[in-house]
Amino acid sequence: MSRHVLVVGGGLAGITAALRCADSGYEVTLVETRARLGGAASSFQRGDLDVDTGQHVFLRCYSAYAALLRRLGVLDKVRVQPRFRVPVLEPFRACSVLRRWDLPAPAHLAPALLGHPALTLRQRVNAARTGMRMRELDPEDPALDRISFGDWLRECGESARAVDALWALLSVAALNAAPDESSLALAATVFRTGLLDAADSGDIGVPLRPLAELHDGAAHRELASAGVRVLLRTKANSVLRDESGETGWRVPVRGRGGEEVLRADSVIVAVPHQHAGALLSARLLPAAAAWSGLSAAPIVNVHVRYDRPVLAEPFAAVLGSPVQWLFDRTSAAGVRRGQYLAISLSAAHEYVEQRTGELRALFLPALRDLLPRARRAEVQDFFVTREPRATFAQAPGTRDLRPGADTGLPGLVLAGAWTATGLPDTLEGAVRSGDQAARVVRATFDEARPAGLEVTR
């Protein structure tokens, strides 16, 4: 007997869950409010530019995300460094580089510490001790989630300069939060999984093409090949038990054809936590009321197009400047002349409400301070994209608020990077959550076999 699965949300979690359920032989429908797939990791057109909604990078250890790209046939459209290398820019100073050696962990990071120009010898030695202490932390220990990363660093004797120049340089981008606002458990996951436990885990991957090409067009093709029905511009209004007894669940939606009710044996809610809470009533799932405690953290992207190349690196981290991370998106965006740079600002609470003119007055001089060639270049375009709810706030105490995929209600399943993946809010976490959601659906159907209800259309 056919089983019908309805996936609400077309981000990476929803795409993954839909494909996995289709692999199990279920009839799958995916609904997405927007006109494209990929969720927060997609692109839009601005004139002749393909603009990514955010500057998403990944690590070599992101095996689930790489597996999804392989399945979508776009793994050749990303590039992973052969060896961890992060250029570091500071105003009016020559570029320095953090790199690893081809040695067993953690000795592979010796050059990153020994060559860090912003730290004194004493600070480098202490940072090495802190790294060894972090290797002893268990990210699964619930007690770590109640401690802030900043407090722990100070307990380790890290100076404010070392926190800013080393630990926050990586953690703010990974957790979208300052160290004092970050869960130690999630920080330990980032540094242990990405840098400390294996020599090549932290090698950085970047997309060579617009994210829409990776996550939208390619996903459409693979979903169609798997037999998944995709409904774009279709908004789910709520998720309700099917009292008629025809199926387990019904979801009223509004799409281009008007309003209708979709019925399914199982529903996977794969949307951000604030939307998931709105779809599920507290009477149906009381735990949903607590999800608002996850809050949200913003990311702002500042986009600058120059008439000539001004940055010689594919990306760079930045110290001593309002610029945090800088990406060359020229080739990926289809620019043939000049250079298109994107500044990624994580934990961007102070910038998300500022006007474009104010940000222009701040960041163009900052770029001239960092990049000598920018002082002679003409700015051909400047614009800003804002993601006020880019991630959940990955603060101390969030572990208890992140639900598992299994809601305890047969057939109602959750997915998304905000769920209890054990990872920060990342591409990898989103894909893993989709895999887990599909496993819960399979287990639910296996338990219900051979009984079942016929799916109505």
Side-chain angles (χ1 to χ4, degrees):
M1 180 177 293
S2 174
R3 297 285 194 176
H4 187 189
V5 179
L6 176 62
V7 180
V8 180
L12 296 187
I15 291 168
T16 302
L19 289 171
R20 294 299 190 191
C21 287
D23 292 344
S24 295
Y26 308 137
E27 182 182 354
V28 182
T29 298
L30 184 152
V31 298
E32 165 57 42
T33 304
R34 287 179 265 201
R36 61 180 185 268
L37 298 174
S42 191
S43 312
F44 64 91
Q45 200 76 26
R46 177 186 167 90
D48 62 344
L49 280 183
D50 289 302
V51 181
D52 289 341
T53 52
Q55 306 312 306
H56 294 273
V57 300
F58 61 98
L59 304 180
R60 189 183 296 277
C61 61
Y62 282 11
S63 56
Y65 177 62
L68 176 62
L69 294 183
R70 186 177 298 107
R71 173 160 187 175
L72 299 182
V74 293
L75 192 57
D76 62 333
K77 296 180 180 179
V78 300
R79 175 182 296 154
V80 180
Q81 298 173 320
R83 191 173 298 176
F84 175 84
R85 180 181 183 276
V86 176
V88 180
L89 300 175
E90 293 185 80
F92 305 107
R93 303 182 94 176
C95 177
S96 58
V97 177
L98 303 181
R99 68 178 82 232
R100 72 169 176 89
W101 282 339
D102 193 15
L103 290 173
H108 67 298
L109 291 177
L113 286 178
L114 296 176
H116 200 315
L119 301 181
T120 65
L121 177 60
R122 181 176 180 178
Q123 288 170 336
R124 295 171 195 170
V125 171
N126 196 66
R129 292 196 190 103
T130 300
M132 296 304 293
R133 285 187 63 180
M134 182 166 285
R135 289 193 85 200
E136 298 173 358
L137 297 179
D138 178 7
E140 296 300 317
D141 181 355
L144 297 189
D145 186 61
R146 296 189 285 272
I147 303 170
S148 84
F149 184 38
D151 284 345
W152 184 80
L153 288 174
R154 283 186 287 273
E155 180 188 312
C156 292
E158 293 293 321
S159 66
R161 176 59 175 169
V163 171
D164 289 341
L166 179 62
W167 301 104
L169 187 72
L170 301 174
S171 70
V172 171
L175 299 175
N176 197 22
D180 283 340
E181 304 299 326
S182 301
S183 158
L184 174 57
L186 290 176
T189 299
V190 168
F191 282 97
R192 284 201 53 179
T193 304
L195 289 174
L196 296 170
D197 287 352
D200 64 350
S201 292
D203 299 340
I204 298 172
V206 296
L208 302 177
R209 302 295 302 153
L211 291 175
E213 194 171 321
L214 273 64
H215 304 151
D216 182 20
H220 265 293
R221 292 190 294 272
E222 186 62 20
L223 288 165
S225 177
V228 176
R229 179 189 179 206
V230 177
L231 301 177
L232 299 179
R233 296 192 178 95
T234 301
K235 178 179 174 57
N237 297 318
S238 58
V239 177
L240 307 168
R241 286 188 182 275
D242 188 357
E243 302 297 343
S244 70
E246 294 179 351
T247 59
W249 300 90
R250 59 187 179 92
V251 179
V253 301
R254 182 176 181 84
R256 286 174 288 184
E259 296 184 357
E260 62 177 314
V261 176
L262 301 178
R263 288 181 164 85
D265 299 287
S266 185
V267 176
I268 298 175
V269 178
V271 295
H273 67 276
Q274 59 269 25
H275 300 312
L279 285 173
L280 302 169
S281 70
R283 186 174 62 178
L284 175 67
L285 194 65
W291 300 343
S292 62
L294 288 171
S295 190
I299 293 176
V300 170
N301 288 272
V302 175
H303 307 260
V304 187
R305 188 169 176 177
Y306 290 102
D307 67 339
R308 67 193 72 183
V310 298
L311 175 68
E313 301 285 353
F315 62 86
V318 180
L319 294 175
S321 167
V323 178
Q324 293 178 10
W325 284 77
L326 191 56
F327 294 86
D328 178 7
R329 303 304 295 152
T330 307
S331 177
V335 175
R336 296 187 178 182
R337 291 186 178 182
Q339 190 170 38
Y340 163 38
L341 302 181
I343 302 170
S344 181
L345 302 169
S346 300
H349 304 277
E350 62 182 303
Y351 302 121
V352 72
E353 299 291 342
Q354 288 194 28
R355 296 178 179 178
T356 298
E358 295 173 315
L359 295 176
R360 182 185 180 105
L362 175 64
F363 284 101
L364 287 185
L367 287 173
R368 289 193 291 269
D369 292 346
L370 294 168
L371 307 170
R373 295 177 186 173
R375 299 164 199 165
R376 300 184 298 274
E378 175 187 341
V379 176
Q380 297 181 321
D381 194 11
F382 182 99
F383 60 99
V384 179
T385 54
R386 299 170 176 85
E387 301 171 82
R389 295 178 171 273
T391 67
F392 72 91
Q394 298 167 85
T398 55
R399 179 190 180 101
D400 291 339
L401 300 176
R402 299 175 70 181
D406 190 346
T407 65
L409 297 176
L412 180 61
V413 184
L414 300 175
W418 62 279
T419 60
T421 65
L423 296 174
D425 194 332
T426 57
L427 302 174
E428 178 75 359
V431 176
R432 288 194 190 183
S433 78
D435 285 332
Q436 178 61 25
R439 285 194 290 270
V440 171
V441 169
R442 286 197 300 270
T444 301
F445 286 166
D446 287 346
E447 289 176 5
R449 193 179 295 165
L453 295 173
E454 186 175 353
V455 176
T456 60
R457 304 214 179 184

